């Protein structure tokens, strides 16, 4: 007899499914709503608007620029290949600008140097001219005697005092790269080769879903071209890491999702021996659809990492149909709707406990885990509704005659447990487990690092290190943000910070830095220098003896006195200011602000000391702040775990009583503890992602304990259902454990270990008296 629910549930669910499919089609109308921005994965530190603007400004070159070295033993061959590649890349349409040689506007450079002779003169040179004008003149005479001692863009007759040359020489050196005058290229010599620098700036950034892959493909083609000419290419860019991350995510989605799917389908066929039983995979597909739609609806897009970790949902979602399919070993004959009614209370409890575990992740400060929580909870709801409302109708009329070997395996495992308990009682086994846990936890070490999100291949890392070594260009992620009420106060604070940074440079703790006060000096310093010019005529006799006309010197002094004071805005107009422009943040709500970038830092802790007692100076260390958040969140993760366990206990009190609920939750908690101990014994670190994984272990494995507590169909059938559920779930999370991304791998490993211990401990959830196997369908 067909009940009304058996007619209406499939129809209502199909209406819901059509609506969700329509919503998914609308969400994907402009293409896949996917994101590859790694910064979306990590928690924010609530920076103010100015700090956020500064971070974006500093990150932009990493996300849009690519640095390439073209190396060959013969300099001309390296230059020729750099030119060839530069022209090809510019023609590709992927790059906004490709620079393989300097195309400097020399007249504009000369004009800027002449206009900035007072404002741009370095601190040491300015101090010498003011305090020791005689020594200043003597050095200028020596430079005129030896024209090859230094190169100046401004001829001597336009700058008899040599101020422009001193400005050129005082500019911070950009590593070991030198200008090849003949070709205009920037070249570094190392490892027996000449390395020509090629810089390219893309039209988009590294978070574009297509551009990084296109750039990586173009670079690979260029490598092949260079190899044919026996030329070596080294490349470094955030774009390459993004391309590698996208390719890696695609591979992992394929083998995690594909591997779990193939394994589960084979298991279904081997166990139930009916092709139609493969329809049990329908709830998995529906679950993935519901999860994706919910993610895009709430967040506007879905991160590719959510798909990687969310693909593990396959093993959890297939548990719902397995709950009543496994009753085919006890129900004779087996029919889908009666089997569902037998297991519906357990299915509903399983959904509730699993959702509690997943949604606990949403309370963490990690946006990536919040997405995964929403994806998984919505996916489980979709899989549950599909398994309850649609799948029984699809399996109507199917007579299952499952293979007997799985049942014999379950009976053998129960007999093995019985024999074990005859030799060692449960209290002694518990003592052994506690000793195992204590030993593992003693060896467990904590490790939290934002770089766990990135599984960078060795080739990219080694090339980036080689480029840093050859060029001497080693940018850091840390920088200083400096605020001031106005430009003079800002320059004064930049100068105070520069004095401290110079000490680090002298101690070889810092390779260098770039600050606006290296480009333009305080207005008061410019005025002081202008006043010091009056004393020069008393000391310039050596220049007159050299043949410099006194009229020319007087005319130059008049020009210098007439130069206006320069501020930051005017100093940044000329071509010499190009490397400084990104440092200027301009007016703010409370004044003005600028950044100080750093090079070659070997101890980030030293930076925090430099900012002490300097008003308006702030160290921005996103990496260090995130690592502190990682460590602090471990405590909140443990609190979330306890809170989720408390909710599950409250949920289970009604059907099982307080004692039963505590027993059902204690076993998964013990399994989680064993998983942590196993990490210690295996030499794996405890990370934040381990704890997040164990949040899921508790929620998922409560389901195993409930199955063994209820024992619908008998102990062996219930253990078999638990075994099938554990194997399918383990297939998904076990594959995550071999991911090349450390965070994903650690997450998968902790869950896999926890699920294995949960299955081993699940039989202890059973009551002393087991109900008899059900041989007739319950209507």
């Amino acid at each position: 007899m067909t009940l009304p629910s058996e007619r209406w549930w499939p129809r209502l669910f199909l209406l819901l499914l059509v609506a969700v499919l329509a919503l998914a089609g609308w969400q994907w109308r402009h293409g896949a709503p996917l994101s590859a921005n790694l910064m979306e994965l990590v928690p924010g530190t609530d920076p103010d608007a100015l700090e956020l603007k500064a971070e974006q400004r500093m990150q932009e070159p990493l996300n849009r620029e690519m640095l390439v070295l073209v190396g060959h033993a013969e300099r001309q061959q390296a230059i020729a290949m750099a030119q060839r590649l530069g022209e090809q890349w510019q023609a590709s349409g992927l790059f906004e600008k490709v620079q393989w040689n300097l195309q400097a506007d020399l007249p504009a450079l000369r004009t800027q140097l002449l206009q900035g002779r007072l404002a741009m003169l370095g601190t040491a040179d300015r101090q010498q001219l003011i305090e020791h004008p005689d020594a200043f003149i003597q050095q200028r005479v020596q430079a005129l005697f030896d024209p090859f001692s230094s190169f100046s863009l401004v001829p001597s007759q336009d700058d008899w005092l040599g101020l422009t040359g001193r400005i050129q020489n005082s500019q911070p050196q950009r590593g070991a790269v030198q200008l090849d005058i003949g070709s205009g290229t920037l070249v570094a010599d190392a490892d027996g080769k000449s390395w020509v620098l090629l810089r390219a700036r893309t039209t988009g950034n590294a978070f574009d879903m297509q551009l990084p892959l296109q750039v990586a493909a173009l670079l690979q083609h260029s490598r092949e071209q260079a190899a044919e000419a026996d030329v070596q290419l080294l490349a470094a860019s955030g774009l390459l890491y993004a391309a590698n991350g996208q390719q890696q995510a695609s591979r992992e989605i394929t083998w995690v999702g594909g591997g779990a799917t193939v394994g589960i389908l084979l298991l279904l066929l081997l166990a139930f021996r009916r092709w139609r039983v493969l329809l049990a995979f329908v709830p998995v597909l529906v679950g993935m659809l519901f999860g994706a739609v919910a993610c895009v609806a709430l967040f506007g897009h879905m991160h590719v990492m959510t798909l990687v970790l969310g693909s593990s949902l396959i093993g959890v979602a297939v548990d719902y149909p397995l709950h009543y399919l496994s009753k085919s070993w006890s129900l004779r004959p087996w029919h889908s709707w009666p089997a569902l009614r037998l297991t519906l209370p357990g299915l509903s409890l399983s959904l509730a406990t699993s959702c509690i575990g997943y949604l606990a992740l949403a309370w963490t400060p990690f946006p990536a885990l919040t997405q995964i929580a929403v994806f998984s909870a919505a996916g489980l709801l979709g899989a549950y509704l599909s398994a309850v409302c649609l799948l029984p109708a699809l399996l109507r009329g199917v007579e299952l005659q499952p293979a007997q070997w799985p049942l014999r395996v379950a009976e053998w495992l129960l007999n093995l447990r019985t024999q074990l308990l005859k030799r060692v009682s449960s209290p002694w086994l518990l003592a052994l487990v506690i000793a195992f846990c204590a030993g593992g936890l003693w060896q467990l070490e904590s490790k939290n690092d934002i770089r766990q999100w990135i599984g960078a291949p060795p080739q990219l890392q080694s090339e980036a290190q080689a480029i840093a070594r050859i060029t001497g260009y080693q940018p850091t992620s840390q920088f200083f943000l400096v605020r001031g009420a106005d430009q003079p106060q800002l320059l004064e604070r930049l100068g105070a910070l520069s004095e401290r940074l110079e000490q680090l440079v002298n101690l070889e703790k810092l390779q260098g830095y770039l600050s606006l006060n290296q480009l333009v000096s305080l207005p008061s310093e410019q005025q002081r220098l202008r006043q010091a010019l009056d004393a020069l005529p008393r000391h310039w006799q050596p220049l007159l003896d050299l043949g410099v006309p006194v009229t020319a010197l007087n005319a130059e002094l008049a020009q210098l006195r007439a130069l206006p004071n320069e501020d930051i805005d005017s100093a940044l107009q000329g071509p010499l200011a190009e490397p400084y422009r990104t440092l200027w943040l301009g007016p703010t709500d409370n004044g003005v602000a600028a950044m100080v970038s750093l090079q070659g830092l070997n101890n980030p802790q030293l930076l925090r000391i430099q900012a002490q007692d300097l008003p308006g100076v702030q160290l921005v260390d996103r990496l260090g702040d995130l690592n502190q958040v990682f460590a602090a969140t471990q405590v909140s993760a443990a609190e979330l775990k306890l809170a989720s366990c408390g909710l599950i206990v409250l949920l289970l009190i009604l059907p099982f009583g307080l004692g039963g609920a505590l027993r059902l939750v204690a076993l998964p908690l013990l399994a989680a503890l064993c998983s942590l101990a196993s990490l210690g014994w295996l030499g794996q670190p405890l990370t934040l992602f381990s704890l997040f994984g164990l949040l899921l272990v508790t929620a998922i494995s409560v389901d195993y304990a409930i199955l063994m507590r209820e024992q619908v169909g008998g102990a062996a059938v219930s253990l078999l259902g638990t075994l099938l559920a554990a194997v399918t779930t383990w297939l998904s999370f076990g594959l995550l454990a071999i991911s090349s991304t450390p965070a994903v791998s650690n997450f998968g490993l902790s869950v896999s270990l926890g699920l294995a211990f949960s299955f081993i401990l699940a039989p202890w959830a059973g009551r002393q008296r087991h109900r008899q196997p059900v041989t007739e369908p319950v209507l």
Side-chain angles (χ1 to χ4, degrees):
M1 177 180 175
T2 302
L3 299 179
S5 60
E6 297 174 14
R7 293 193 304 269
W8 284 104
W9 284 8
R11 296 174 186 176
L12 291 174
F13 178 76
L14 285 174
L15 288 175
L16 175 64
L17 184 59
V18 169
V20 173
L21 283 170
L23 178 57
W26 183 81
Q27 289 174 341
W28 288 61
R29 68 193 184 280
H30 299 307
L34 297 175
S35 169
N37 186 349
L38 281 174
M39 297 311 295
E40 292 177 4
L41 300 177
V42 296
T45 52
D46 296 325
D48 59 30
L50 181 62
E51 187 178 340
L52 187 61
K53 177 182 177 181
E55 285 185 353
Q56 292 172 344
R57 183 77 64 84
M58 294 297 286
Q59 290 168 5
E60 187 179 14
L62 300 175
N63 298 329
R64 293 191 59 185
E65 292 187 2
M66 183 156 65
L67 200 63
V68 178
L69 290 182
V70 183
H72 194 275
E74 298 293 333
R75 176 173 290 198
Q76 291 307 313
Q77 290 198 40
I79 292 172
M81 179 57 69
Q83 180 179 2
R84 178 182 173 187
L85 294 180
E87 291 170 352
Q88 289 179 358
W89 286 16
Q90 192 68 67
S92 69
L94 299 177
F95 299 98
E96 179 184 286
K97 180 181 180 182
V98 180
Q99 186 178 29
W100 63 274
N101 66 349
L102 290 180
Q103 299 173 343
D105 186 347
L106 293 180
L109 272 173
R110 294 189 182 103
T111 299
Q112 183 183 13
L113 287 169
L114 288 169
Q115 289 294 323
R117 280 178 286 180
L118 297 184
M120 299 172 65
L121 194 63
T123 302
D125 292 323
R126 184 172 61 249
Q127 204 71 18
Q128 185 185 44
L129 191 149
I130 294 172
E131 297 177 2
H132 306 286
D134 54 338
F136 183 91
I137 295 296
Q138 286 295 335
Q139 287 183 7
R140 178 54 180 162
V141 169
Q142 292 174 9
L144 290 172
F145 264 120
D146 184 9
F148 299 104
S149 62
S150 62
F151 170 75
S152 178
L153 292 169
V154 178
S156 297
Q157 59 267 26
D158 294 333
D159 181 28
W160 287 113
L161 296 177
L163 298 179
T164 58
R166 286 180 179 253
I167 293 172
Q168 282 180 238
N169 295 332
S170 67
Q171 292 301 299
Q173 295 299 311
R174 305 283 285 185
V177 179
Q178 302 294 327
L179 176 67
D180 182 83
I181 298 177
S183 62
T185 57
L186 294 173
V187 183
D189 293 312
D191 304 333
K193 294 181 179 180
S194 292
W195 300 91
V196 179
L197 182 66
L198 187 150
R199 295 180 64 179
R201 182 180 178 86
T202 57
T203 53
N205 61 37
F207 307 135
D208 187 289
M209 288 300 295
Q210 299 298 326
L211 181 63
L213 297 175
Q214 294 171 337
V215 170
L218 179 62
L219 176 63
Q220 182 58 35
H221 177 68
S222 298
R223 289 187 194 276
E224 294 169 359
Q225 279 185 293
E228 292 175 0
D230 195 28
V231 174
Q232 185 179 355
L233 286 191
L234 299 175
S237 172
L239 290 150
L240 301 180
Y241 285 95
N244 176 75
Q246 290 184 34
Q247 292 166 344
Q248 179 178 304
S250 178
R251 288 193 303 268
E252 292 182 359
I253 290 169
T254 301
W255 56 254
V256 172
T261 299
V262 171
I264 291 169
L265 293 179
L266 284 175
L267 182 64
L268 290 172
L269 284 176
L270 289 171
F272 298 104
R273 302 187 300 185
R274 289 288 187 276
W275 285 102
R276 200 167 166 189
V277 81
L278 297 184
L279 290 170
F281 208 74
V282 169
V284 174
L285 300 177
V286 172
M288 299 295 283
L289 171 67
F290 273 54
V293 168
C295 247
V296 177
L298 284 179
F299 305 107
H301 63 271
M302 184 167 50
H303 199 279
V304 291
M305 190 66 75
T306 302
L307 283 179
V308 173
L309 291 171
S311 60
S312 63
L313 187 67
I314 294 171
V316 183
V318 81
D319 288 352
Y320 297 135
L322 279 176
H323 279 331
Y324 54 84
L325 285 173
S326 64
K327 303 314 171 194
S328 60
W329 274 281
S330 59
L331 286 176
R332 294 291 188 273
W334 180 91
H335 295 293
S336 56
W337 286 108
L340 171 64
R341 286 195 291 275
L342 268 178
T343 54
L344 187 57
L347 279 175
S348 302
L349 281 175
S350 172
L351 173 68
T353 55
S354 296
C355 283
I356 287 174
Y358 274 108
L359 289 176
L361 298 180
W363 293 94
T364 68
F366 282 74
L369 293 173
T370 304
Q371 272 203 24
I372 293 163
V374 170
F375 180 93
S376 301
L380 288 178
L381 179 61
Y384 170 84
L385 292 174
S386 177
V388 168
C389 301
L390 180 63
L391 188 60
L394 298 177
L395 293 176
R396 183 191 299 274
V398 175
E399 293 186 7
L400 291 181
Q401 294 181 350
Q404 291 305 301
W405 64 266
L407 186 59
R408 287 194 291 270
V409 169
E411 290 171 345
W412 177 80
L413 289 173
L414 282 176
N415 290 332
L416 183 64
R417 175 177 178 268
T418 302
Q419 295 300 319
L420 176 63
L421 290 177
K422 286 180 180 179
R423 291 175 171 81
V424 186
S425 63
S426 291
W428 282 106
L429 285 175
L430 179 60
L432 290 174
V433 170
I434 292 175
F436 168 82
C437 292
L441 294 175
W442 180 262
Q443 303 176 67
L444 194 62
E445 294 183 357
S446 179
K447 178 182 179 182
N448 287 296
D449 196 326
I450 182 60
R451 284 165 289 197
Q452 290 169 333
W453 279 117
I454 306 170
Q459 181 185 353
L460 288 182
Q461 290 182 319
S462 62
E463 288 198 15
Q465 291 168 358
I467 289 176
R469 175 179 57 82
I470 293 170
T471 62
Y473 183 62
Q474 301 176 31
T476 70
S477 60
Q478 300 89 354
F479 64 92
F480 286 98
L481 176 61
V482 184
R483 296 174 169 91
D486 50 32
Q487 289 194 19
Q489 187 183 65
L490 177 70
L491 288 171
E492 184 178 350
R493 291 176 173 180
L494 288 170
L497 176 61
S498 294
E499 290 179 6
R500 297 190 178 186
L501 294 180
E502 283 294 341
Q503 295 176 5
L504 292 184
V505 173
N506 295 334
L507 293 172
E508 298 184 351
K509 302 294 184 181
L510 182 69
Q511 188 185 80
Y513 64 95
L514 204 62
S515 176
L516 286 174
N517 67 300
Q518 295 169 322
L519 177 70
V520 59
S521 58
L522 276 163
S524 59
E525 292 294 333
Q526 296 179 43
Q527 184 58 33
R528 187 179 170 209
L529 183 60
R530 185 178 289 104
Q531 294 171 353
L533 295 175
D534 295 337
L536 277 183
R538 295 197 297 271
H539 303 281
W540 67 24
Q541 186 60 45
L543 286 175
L544 299 178
D545 296 340
L546 195 63
V548 179
V550 66
T551 54
L553 291 173
N554 286 325
E556 187 165 321
L557 280 184
Q559 291 175 3
L560 291 172
R561 291 190 185 101
L563 288 176
N565 283 347
E566 282 198 6
D567 59 11
I568 294 174
D569 293 298
S570 58
L572 289 174
Q573 297 302 313
L576 196 64
E578 182 178 356
Y580 296 92
R581 289 195 184 101
T582 57
L583 303 178
W584 176 232
L585 296 172
T588 68
D589 294 338
N590 300 312
V592 291
M595 299 178 290
V596 176
S597 64
L598 307 170
Q599 288 280 332
L601 177 70
N602 57 23
N603 186 355
Q605 293 302 320
L606 291 174
L607 294 181
R608 299 194 180 276
I609 303 173
Q610 311 311 312
Q612 289 180 357
D613 305 323
L614 289 182
V617 178
Q618 173 190 355
L619 173 66
V620 179
D621 183 6
R622 176 76 160 154
L623 185 62
D625 292 342
L626 285 175
N627 288 340
Q628 289 179 2
V629 171
F630 271 45
T633 309
Q634 278 192 336
V635 178
S636 62
E639 294 171 349
L640 282 171
K641 184 169 183 61
L642 293 175
S644 65
C645 289
L647 284 175
I648 294 172
V649 167
L650 292 175
L651 181 68
L652 298 180
I653 284 177
L654 184 62
F656 301 109
L658 179 59
L662 290 175
R663 188 182 186 89
L664 290 174
V665 173
L667 289 172
L669 280 175
L670 183 58
L673 194 63
C674 290
S675 176
L676 281 179
S678 298
L679 292 177
W681 286 111
L682 293 172
Q684 295 293 315
L686 169 65
T687 70
L688 192 55
F689 309 102
S690 309
L691 294 177
F692 290 149
L694 295 179
L695 276 173
L696 301 187
V697 168
T698 306
I700 295 172
S701 56
V702 165
D703 185 27
Y704 305 162
I706 292 173
L707 277 174
M708 294 307 300
R709 176 82 176 182
E710 288 288 85
Q711 294 191 2
V712 176
V717 171
S718 295
L719 184 64
L720 177 54
T722 304
L723 177 60
L724 291 175
V727 169
T728 55
T729 307
W730 191 87
L731 275 171
S732 296
F733 286 101
L735 289 171
L736 286 179
I738 56 175
S739 168
S740 53
T741 302
V744 176
S745 174
N746 197 268
F747 183 85
L749 180 60
S750 62
V751 176
S752 301
L753 290 169
L755 292 176
F757 283 108
S758 297
F759 171 74
I760 294 171
L761 296 172
W764 272 267
R767 288 170 285 196
Q768 295 300 317
R769 289 188 172 184
H770 309 309
R771 66 178 62 175
Q772 296 299 317
V774 178
T775 56
E776 297 296 333
V778 179
L779 297 178

